[in-house]
Amino acid sequence: MGADNEDGTTPQVGDEKEKGPIIVLLVGAPGSGKSTFCEHVMKSSSRSWARICQDTINNGKAGTKPQCLKSAATALKEGKSVFIDRCNLDKEQRAEFLKLDGSTKEVHAVVLDFPAQVCISRSVKRTGHEGNLQGGKAAAVVNRMLQKKELPQLTEGFKRITFCQNDSEVQAAIKVYSALGPAETLPNGCFGQKTPKAKVQLGIMKFLKKVEVPANEDSPSSHIVQIPVHETVDVEKNQRPAGQESSSLLSGGANKNIQECQDPHKHVVDASVSSVPTLAFPSISTSDFQFENEKASDIIVEKVEEFVNKIRNARLVLVDLSHRSKILSLVKGKAAQRNIDSNKFFTFVGDITKLYSQGGLRCNIIANAANWRLKPGGGGVNAAIFNAAGPALEVSTRDCAKSLLPGHAVAVPLTSDSPLYTREGVTHVIHVLGPNMNPQRPNCLNDNYAKGCEVLRGAYTSLFESFASLVKTQVTEVGTSGQNPAGLKSLSSITEQKNKRDDECDSERRKKYKGMQGDEKMSEENRRNVVSKTWGSWAQALYDIAMHPGRHEGQLLEVCDDVVVLNDQYPKAKKHLLVLSCQRGLDQLADVNQEHIEQLRTMHSVGLKWAESFLQEDSSLVFRLGYHSEPSMRQLHLHVISQDFDSGHLKNKKHWNSFNTAFFRDSVDVMEEISSQGKATVSNDNEKHLSMELRCHRCRSAHPNIPRLKSHVKQCQAPFPSQLLENGRLVFQSIL
Ligand code: AMP
């Protein structure tokens, strides 16, 4: 006699029902524990069992349903009971097994009805799975399959159905079947079902933009790419004690949702997140910098809260490797206390370089707790990110910045050949440098937490602003379709387009990313649209300086009323300065109106003063002061540029034409226009100006390329055109 049933009955021997082999269909998603169930029963059962598994039916490889049916029939003929170990999630999938052997056998179902995230979490984690359904692709398949789920009913032809919704129910069912002797039968009926008409797990598919699922349900193909799993899949801790709510996987502000959501299925995946721009960031105050966790967590929560209140359609995810992470649990608790929207911020345990492939979490931008030299190495997250991204990240980083000050961030686009891009769908890495309290490391603050907290706040502000700027660029993207294998739009391609007229950094970068969307693909109108409304993170440097001059002291030549002066980082002539307005809201010439006239005058007179001082050193110089009609860098800035154009940074037609066509608006003219009309004339033909033939700015002779033009300019002694000599447009010795 076998053990008691879970419903208090015992197996029956020799009653009127037919005894002998039975068919047991396991019903459950990948990761629900079907194979484990069979193994346990078969290990201790006195019955003769055959396990028919579609993942291995074809000589150890994945096979088809007809092969399963055939093998099952053979086993039954041999007097064996059979387990049909495949998902069997819908009625249609089950029907033929119920007709096996002319229905003369008793057919049971054992339903392993676990929440999706439990199955996803197990599937993502497992290795060596028979059907190779593991790792990142598993999440999409599980979600897709559960969409089809129809719980079995007796009317389909089952004699007995056992529903298991937690580990202890599974153990009980294993006990029942293990104890079922060859001549015994089990009572008919449904057992363990808590909500008899339980609905299909609704709505999961709406979270998935695109998931390919193989026809062969248990044998997923390997090219499934989009896994918009919103919940925190704790990659490290996905085996939970029996009965523990799967919602414990969620962390941070997500707790609020958990309490509200009694149905474990409902908070599996958040609806709208499949393509939500997501920034995953580690704690910027790394343990190596020995910054107090309590203070760091306060700042993270403060800055996150500030950010999530500002942005509508983006998410932040704080990531750490271990569920024992102090900073993660502090932030999680504090975020929950502050009721931070869990759709916009949550914490995640996992490797930041494998969020998609191991955790099923799509993050298109990741932050790096970088070192000041922006170099690989040093262990920790910095080493991991540089390693995972491949050498391209070092090259791209060098193109964007040589070093980083504490409290600052720099966004670096990833090239399309970077494994982080292809495998994880990451388009940008934002390097951030936090404050250091470790005397063994550079820039130690010697326990000055007032300064440290200020720097850390600055670091998160810069990080989130950088992210917001990339998101903004993505949202207003027009006319491009670059997608990486994770289905994410290539932000790099967008910034490349916007960036096309800028400094050497840009032109070099374009060369390196030539596989991406080209400038040519974007219409002039669209380009203008993007340029006038969005600023990529690389275009924020001047804005950052204007807003926080104190952070850039070493870089500035002068800080005075409302303006700062600095050397152009990529001077296009022997002397090339920028006079930067510090007024918020003045991004470019188009934003200037009558109320800014004083600001323009200040900028002009400061620029003039600098030109004069250079002329005292070198009286052969000639200066021109003016604005670009359509600047590449955010924040109104006046160029003060000597007319020799003798610089290695002047490399292409756009560089030349941006200073020598109507694209360049003389400061004196701009001031006049603002005074008289309230607006500066900004040409609509910028593209045309920038692509004009190369002409000497003095004698107007044409030249085929930049080297030829430059060698001509070096020796050209022709007088400047009269138009430039009028109205103080040129500044030179004789007029001073
Ligand atoms: P515009 O096209 O008028 O926006 O010019 C932007 C200028 O800023 C270019 O001449 C660049 O060489 C220069 N530039 C770019 N990044 C920086 C930076 N971080 N610091 C100073 N100048 C910069």
Side-chain angles (χ1 to χ4, degrees):
M1 178 71 79
D4 282 352
N5 292 323
E6 68 276 43
D7 58 345
T9 62
T10 51
Q12 300 157 342
V13 183
D15 64 6
E16 67 290 351
K17 289 199 284 179
E18 185 182 350
K19 293 173 269 308
I22 58 170
I23 303 166
V24 179
L25 265 75
L26 278 305
V27 177
S32 59
K34 299 183 297 293
S35 301
T36 309
F37 182 96
C38 301
E39 279 160 21
H40 280 301
V41 172
M42 289 165 78
K43 218 165 44 193
S44 43
S45 173
S46 55
R47 264 181 189 250
S48 174
W49 287 95
R51 172 177 160 248
I52 311 295
C53 174
Q54 194 163 323
D55 286 332
T56 53
I57 193 86
N58 188 13
N59 287 327
K61 290 200 231 107
T64 60
K65 189 164 144 192
Q67 283 174 306
C68 292
L69 287 161
K70 193 164 165 227
S71 287
T74 308
L76 288 168
K77 278 201 188 95
E78 290 167 359
K80 292 177 185 160
S81 293
V82 293
F83 280 122
I84 308 296
D85 179 3
R86 61 199 296 280
C87 296
N88 299 313
L89 282 168
D90 64 68
K91 196 170 160 183
E92 197 187 324
Q93 287 287 341
R94 297 185 286 262
E96 287 173 86
F97 293 98
L98 280 146
K99 288 186 221 130
L100 253 176
D101 212 15
S103 261
T104 55
K105 300 283 178 290
E106 199 171 303
V107 188
H108 297 186
V110 172
V111 186
L112 302 177
D113 192 18
F114 282 82
Q117 70 264 49
V118 172
C119 303
I120 290 171
S121 181
R122 287 177 182 169
S123 307
V124 165
K125 179 86 183 293
R126 65 191 175 188
T127 54
H129 176 244
E130 290 165 333
N132 193 28
L133 181 57
Q134 58 201 32
K137 65 188 176 188
V141 176
V142 172
N143 268 334
R144 174 69 184 84
M145 286 186 164
L146 284 173
Q147 175 64 16
K148 293 195 301 183
K149 185 176 87 171
E150 286 174 88
L151 291 176
Q153 297 183 349
L154 293 175
T155 49
E156 288 174 48
F158 291 107
K159 289 279 182 332
R160 177 186 172 94
I161 305 174
T162 310
F163 292 91
C164 307
Q165 290 183 330
N166 58 46
D167 286 343
S168 54
E169 289 172 1
V170 173
Q171 291 309 320
I174 288 174
K175 211 168 140 197
V176 167
Y177 278 94
S178 299
L180 183 67
E184 291 172 338
T185 59
L186 290 169
N188 293 343
C190 277
F191 300 93
Q193 190 172 24
K194 301 190 175 54
T195 45
K197 291 259 179 243
K199 270 298 287 169
V200 173
Q201 200 159 322
L202 280 177
I204 287 178
M205 275 313 291
K206 77 181 175 198
F207 306 134
L208 293 163
K209 251 172 99 182
K210 182 182 127 208
V211 175
E212 295 174 47
V213 170
N216 185 355
E217 67 162 349
D218 274 357
S219 307
S221 67
S222 57
H223 55 277
I224 292 155
V225 288
Q226 282 205 335
I227 304 179
V229 182
H230 174 54
E231 95 267 18
T232 301
V233 176
D234 184 337
V235 177
E236 192 187 54
K237 199 180 72 169
N238 59 13
Q239 302 293 336
R240 285 174 307 287
Q244 184 177 331
E245 271 296 295
S246 54
S247 54
S248 64
L249 287 172
L250 288 153
S251 57
N255 291 340
K256 184 169 143 261
N257 278 8
I258 295 163
Q259 280 150 17
E260 287 163 8
C261 181
Q262 293 309 309
D263 178 356
H265 291 158
K266 277 192 188 141
H267 59 259
V268 171
V269 184
D270 186 346
S272 52
V273 300
S274 63
S275 56
V276 174
T278 303
L279 168 72
F281 65 101
S283 169
I284 300 308
S285 49
T286 57
S287 53
D288 195 36
F289 280 177
Q290 297 176 359
F291 199 94
E292 277 178 27
N293 277 328
E294 276 293 347
K295 290 192 170 73
S297 59
D298 284 340
I299 290 172
I300 293 175
V301 174
E302 172 195 319
K303 287 288 150 190
V304 162
E305 190 173 31
E306 207 176 285
F307 180 80
V308 299
N309 288 338
K310 274 194 242 160
I311 196 143
R312 257 183 307 153
N313 189 33
R315 308 185 287 175
L316 301 176
V317 187
L318 176 67
V319 178
D320 204 344
L321 266 179
S322 162
H323 66 272
R324 287 178 296 277
S325 159
K326 186 90 181 23
I327 193 82
L328 226 58
S329 64
L330 284 169
V331 168
K332 183 173 140 183
K334 291 175 185 178
Q337 273 170 16
R338 305 264 274 259
N339 271 337
I340 293 180
D341 183 348
S342 60
N343 287 320
K344 292 184 179 172
F345 174 68
F346 55 95
T347 59
F348 191 95
V349 174
D351 181 339
I352 200 162
T353 66
K354 294 177 186 154
L355 293 174
Y356 171 69
S357 59
Q358 284 193 352
L361 179 73
R362 290 197 323 157
C363 297
N364 48 344
I365 300 172
I366 63 173
N368 176 29
N371 54 45
W372 72 276
R373 284 182 299 134
L374 291 169
K375 292 279 187 208
V381 75
N382 183 64
I385 289 178
F386 272 101
N387 274 342
L393 179 61
E394 215 186 325
V395 176
S396 314
T397 301
R398 246 200 328 271
D399 279 348
C400 294
K402 306 276 177 292
S403 62
L404 200 57
L405 287 169
H408 288 254
V410 59
V412 177
L414 282 174
T415 47
S416 55
D417 56 353
S418 165
L420 264 189
Y421 179 93
T422 52
R423 192 191 62 213
E424 305 296 325
V426 175
T427 63
H428 288 72
V429 172
I430 305 179
H431 298 297
V432 202
L433 184 59
N436 172 36
M437 295 294 176
N438 180 352
Q440 314 292 322
R441 299 275 173 267
N443 300 319
C444 175
L445 291 174
N446 296 321
D447 249 23
N448 180 353
Y449 267 96
K451 180 78 185 158
C453 290
E454 185 195 322
V455 173
L456 191 57
R457 282 196 182 88
Y460 283 108
T461 303
S462 303
L463 170 63
F464 297 155
E465 275 180 4
S466 227
F467 171 56
S469 166
L470 291 169
V471 170
K472 211 168 145 196
T473 313
Q474 183 183 38
V475 167
T476 51
E477 179 199 8
V478 274
T480 57
S481 60
Q483 291 210 336
N484 61 23
L488 294 159
K489 283 260 192 236
S490 160
L491 294 173
S492 330
S493 66
I494 306 158
T495 49
E496 281 317 298
Q497 287 159 353
K498 182 178 181 298
N499 211 9
K500 66 184 187 170
R501 185 187 40 82
D502 201 26
D503 48 46
E504 65 167 11
C505 168
D506 307 323
S507 72
E508 296 288 60
R509 203 169 358 182
R510 267 201 311 284
K511 271 184 232 149
K512 280 170 193 132
Y513 306 145
K514 58 178 182 253
M516 299 186 172
Q517 294 290 307
D519 297 340
E520 301 72 25
K521 295 224 169 112
M522 193 177 233
S523 71
E524 164 62 2
E525 189 191 334
N526 286 342
R527 186 180 168 278
R528 262 205 312 276
N529 193 18
V530 169
V531 170
S532 65
K533 291 195 182 123
T534 67
W535 302 93
S537 62
W538 56 270
Q540 306 281 355
L542 300 183
Y543 172 78
D544 193 41
I545 292 169
M547 294 303 125
H548 313 283
R551 293 189 197 155
H552 300 266
E553 274 164 30
Q555 222 181 318
L556 303 180
L557 298 172
E558 183 180 350
V559 182
C560 58
D561 296 347
D562 258 0
V563 300
V564 294
V565 183
L566 72 159
N567 277 311
D568 191 295
Q569 195 171 332
Y570 308 100
K572 307 298 185 296
K574 277 184 189 160
K575 296 288 179 196
H576 185 180
L577 300 184
L578 301 176
V579 180
L580 202 51
S581 162
C582 294
Q583 275 194 28
R584 204 175 276 276
L586 281 191
D587 284 354
Q588 54 181 330
L589 204 49
D591 300 325
V592 175
N593 60 43
Q594 222 138 17
E595 74 188 52
H596 305 116
I597 186 69
E598 275 314 312
Q599 172 76 111
L600 293 184
R601 287 189 183 133
T602 306
M603 292 170 79
H604 186 82
S605 66
V606 170
L608 208 53
K609 186 183 77 186
W610 278 92
E612 286 167 15
S613 77
F614 288 132
L615 283 167
Q616 272 159 21
E617 287 166 24
D618 181 351
S619 61
S620 70
L621 295 174
V622 175
F623 283 92
R624 202 171 164 193
L625 281 63
Y627 300 88
H628 282 158
S629 291
E630 191 180 286
S632 53
M633 304 289 288
R634 178 182 180 191
Q635 193 63 19
L636 186 69
H637 51 277
L638 173 74
H639 291 267
V640 178
I641 185 165
S642 61
Q643 296 296 292
D644 48 83
F645 296 108
D646 182 4
S647 163
H649 292 291
L650 198 158
K651 290 178 172 175
N652 58 43
K653 189 181 256 189
K654 283 173 182 137
H655 290 158
W656 177 263
N657 283 337
S658 70
F659 291 99
N660 290 293
T661 64
F663 186 87
F664 189 83
R665 301 294 338 277
D666 287 285
S667 171
V668 285
D669 294 335
V670 168
M671 288 190 294
E672 207 174 285
E673 284 167 8
I674 298 287
S675 301
S676 59
Q677 306 157 28
K679 271 277 165 215
T681 313
V682 181
S683 167
N684 284 332
D685 269 337
N686 291 322
E687 199 65 14
K688 194 181 100 200
H689 293 311
L690 294 175
S691 56
M692 277 164 78
E693 62 184 350
L694 293 169
R695 283 190 176 275
C696 172
H697 59 317
R698 299 178 80 137
C699 70
R700 307 299 304 156
S701 60
H703 298 270
N705 53 43
I706 287 285
R708 296 272 285 275
L709 172 69
K710 278 174 136 183
S711 68
H712 164 82
V713 166
K714 238 187 186 101
Q715 46 76 43
C716 181
Q717 295 297 320
F720 281 93
S722 56
Q723 187 259 344
L724 283 185
L725 289 166
E726 289 163 7
N727 211 19
R729 292 186 179 100
L730 289 181
V731 181
F732 48 95
Q733 186 73 47
S734 63
I735 65 158
L736 292 175

